Amino acid sequence: MKRYISAFIITLILGVGSVYGSVLQSYNINGVVIDSRSREPIAFATIAIFGTNRFTTSDSNGSFVFTNVTPGVYRLTASLLGYNQYISQEYMLSASGLFVRIELEQTSFLLDGVTVRPKVNPFVRLPETPLSQRNLGVQEIERNPGSNRDISRVVSSLPGVSGVFTGGYRNDIIVRGGGPSENKFYFDGIEIPTINHFSTQGASGGPVGIVDADLIREVNFYSGTFPVNRSSALSSILDIRVKDGDPLNRSYKFTVGASEAGISSSGYIDDKTTYIFSARRSYLQFLFKVLDLPFLPTYTDFQFKIKRDLGNRRELTLLGIAGVDRMELNESAGVDDPTNEYILSFLPTIEQEVFTVGAVYRYFYSNNTLSLFLSHSYLNNRNTKFLN
């Protein structure tokens, strides 16, 4: 039986290889600089690519562009007198180009002196969680060894975190001795019940993640001293931030891996509405049938984000994430193999559906931001076993 379970797990956790039809070349980084409170564009801000000597300034509409940038992972910095210095999270520049929205915060004080620092600190620390908060960027997720871009496995390598890999099948997260069910997960501010396919009831582990890494902008992981608006967890909080759609171009990406195929897209609906979505489906059931294994797993997931600028410093965001899991039995596998026949005698069929849909309304006024969240989550997990 261990032989079949190992084959199942190894196939699931193999890396997803992307197929691109273009050779390595240079692309553009477009963006806009706006005031975080008034939502108005900011002109003449200085924007630079972190770690390089390339810089530019925003025009009267707050727009800027870097041309002929080679593919890779980049951060941007922005500065302007009267505003706090800004450094972005990491962005992956690929064949679809890149659009970055920079929000600068105003600062107002009397100058008693000037302090000159040699570099901008790229490590983000929130004042309410100075020690327990860890920010994970795109580069760390992509390069984490053995994680297969699965955020659960990336987090399990952090200090104070222990991953439960029972036979390689589960990737539950245990933080500082807590339980797998004591963690909370947020998808762009909206709580979701699980982040894994084939998750176990009362826990969060499973063989493969639901969240597509191509949609992740950054991840904030809290192992204690949670922020006020994320205070319901017992062990940890995993706050996944999703990219915004590109308001200038529509792009599509197709991926084919060892266990799944998918499509993702980023673009705009009109001049005030952007979107980004992803859909993936596994084809393990065909592979396992060829290998004559007794179980045939299939999983499908969807994610989307639609953001609308309502004007007058208001915006509305619609979010959704869903996963559908099925594991059927391959009854023909036990005809001539006693081991397969034994496995089929106790292995159940698995049916699971999980989804979360929500909306976030934000109003920026004075020095404050009003955020209203409305969401609905659903999780249905069924294991069925019939006599004989």
Side-chain angles (χ1 to χ4, degrees):
M1 183 178 67
K2 292 182 178 179
R3 174 170 61 92
Y4 300 112
I5 295 179
S6 299
F8 174 48
I9 300 312
I10 291 173
T11 306
L12 278 177
I13 65 176
L14 281 175
V16 178
S18 298
V19 178
Y20 298 98
S22 60
V23 296
L24 186 64
Q25 52 182 321
S26 59
Y27 303 98
N28 295 342
I29 299 178
N30 295 278
V32 64
V33 184
I34 64 173
D35 189 295
S36 63
R37 299 172 185 172
S38 68
R39 318 306 289 176
E40 296 296 328
I42 298 176
F44 308 117
T46 301
I47 304 96
I49 301 178
F50 183 74
T52 71
N53 58 0
R54 296 195 61 177
F55 66 92
T56 186
T57 57
S58 57
D59 60 18
S60 58
N61 296 319
S63 301
F64 66 89
V65 60
F66 290 97
T67 59
N68 299 323
V69 183
T70 57
V73 179
Y74 297 98
R75 291 178 183 263
L76 299 182
T77 63
S79 59
L80 182 66
L81 184 63
Y83 290 88
N84 292 325
Q85 195 169 25
Y86 171 91
I87 182 168
S88 72
Q89 61 273 12
E90 294 173 331
Y91 288 94
M92 177 71 74
L93 177 63
S94 61
S96 59
L98 185 62
F99 182 89
V100 179
R101 184 186 303 274
I102 296 176
E103 299 184 9
L104 295 182
E105 296 181 356
Q106 293 186 18
T107 180
S108 178
F109 53 85
L110 295 177
L111 293 176
D112 295 327
V114 176
T115 301
V116 178
R117 295 183 176 89
K119 289 183 178 180
V120 178
N121 184 8
F123 300 102
V124 179
R125 289 293 182 190
L126 301 181
E128 63 268 26
T129 56
L131 299 177
S132 63
Q133 183 255 350
R134 176 68 183 269
N135 181 267
L136 302 175
V138 173
Q139 185 166 259
E140 188 165 358
I141 296 173
E142 293 283 344
R143 295 186 177 181
N144 188 278
S147 67
N148 186 28
R149 304 169 77 222
D150 191 328
I151 190 60
S152 296
R153 297 178 181 270
V154 174
V155 169
S156 66
S157 64
L158 299 179
V161 183
S162 174
V164 178
F165 302 102
T166 306
Y169 180 73
R170 296 168 57 88
N171 53 4
D172 286 312
I173 299 174
I174 294 180
V175 181
R176 304 186 189 279
S181 61
E182 296 178 354
N183 308 301
K184 293 288 185 180
F185 309 104
Y186 289 87
F187 188 73
D188 228 32
I190 292 180
E191 185 177 347
I192 56 179
T194 183
I195 58 173
N196 289 293
H197 289 289
F198 298 103
S199 59
T200 305
Q201 192 74 28
S204 57
V208 63
I210 293 178
V211 181
D212 188 349
D214 288 335
L215 270 65
I216 296 178
R217 185 183 69 196
E218 64 176 344
V219 175
N220 290 316
F221 178 72
Y222 306 89
S223 58
T225 60
F226 309 126
V228 174
N229 60 345
R230 302 283 191 273
S231 59
S232 59
L234 296 176
S235 289
S236 73
I237 289 176
L238 193 63
D239 191 359
I240 301 170
R241 304 294 179 88
V242 184
K243 297 177 183 177
D244 291 337
D246 191 335
L248 301 179
N249 303 288
R250 293 190 181 98
S251 61
Y252 302 89
K253 178 181 178 181
F254 300 90
T255 60
V256 178
S259 61
E260 64 191 21
I263 178 175
S264 59
S265 177
S266 176
Y268 59 90
I269 299 175
D270 55 36
D271 58 348
K272 292 186 177 182
T273 308
T274 62
Y275 73 88
I276 186 169
F277 83 89
S278 169
R280 302 183 300 176
R281 181 175 175 83
S282 71
Y283 48 81
L284 286 175
Q285 68 276 20
F286 305 114
L287 176 62
F288 282 21
K289 197 172 185 65
V290 172
L291 296 176
D292 204 29
L293 296 181
F295 41 83
L296 306 174
T298 307
Y299 61 85
T300 308
D301 55 57
F302 311 91
Q303 296 121 69
F304 74 88
K305 177 180 180 181
I306 301 174
K307 191 172 184 179
R308 170 78 175 180
D309 182 6
L310 302 177
N312 194 23
R313 295 179 291 179
R314 299 173 300 159
E315 65 182 31
L316 178 65
T317 304
L318 302 178
L319 295 160
I321 182 169
V324 179
D325 306 325
R326 296 287 185 268
M327 190 178 77
E328 301 176 349
L329 302 181
N330 183 12
E331 298 181 12
S332 62
V335 175
D336 299 320
D337 192 332
T339 302
N340 286 348
E341 185 178 2
Y342 172 74
I343 295 175
L344 289 170
S345 67
F346 68 84
L347 198 66
T349 61
I350 298 176
E351 297 177 292
Q352 178 175 292
E353 301 88 31
V354 57
F355 72 83
T356 297
V357 292
V360 183
Y361 171 83
R362 289 188 175 91
Y363 175 52
F364 303 88
Y365 65 99
S366 183
N367 296 331
N368 307 291
T369 302
L370 172 66
S371 298
L372 301 177
F373 297 84
L374 178 65
S375 65
H376 172 71
S377 294
Y378 174 87
L379 173 61
N380 191 2
N381 189 325
R382 304 179 302 283
N383 291 1
T384 306
K385 184 61 187 173
F386 298 97
L387 182 64
N388 297 324

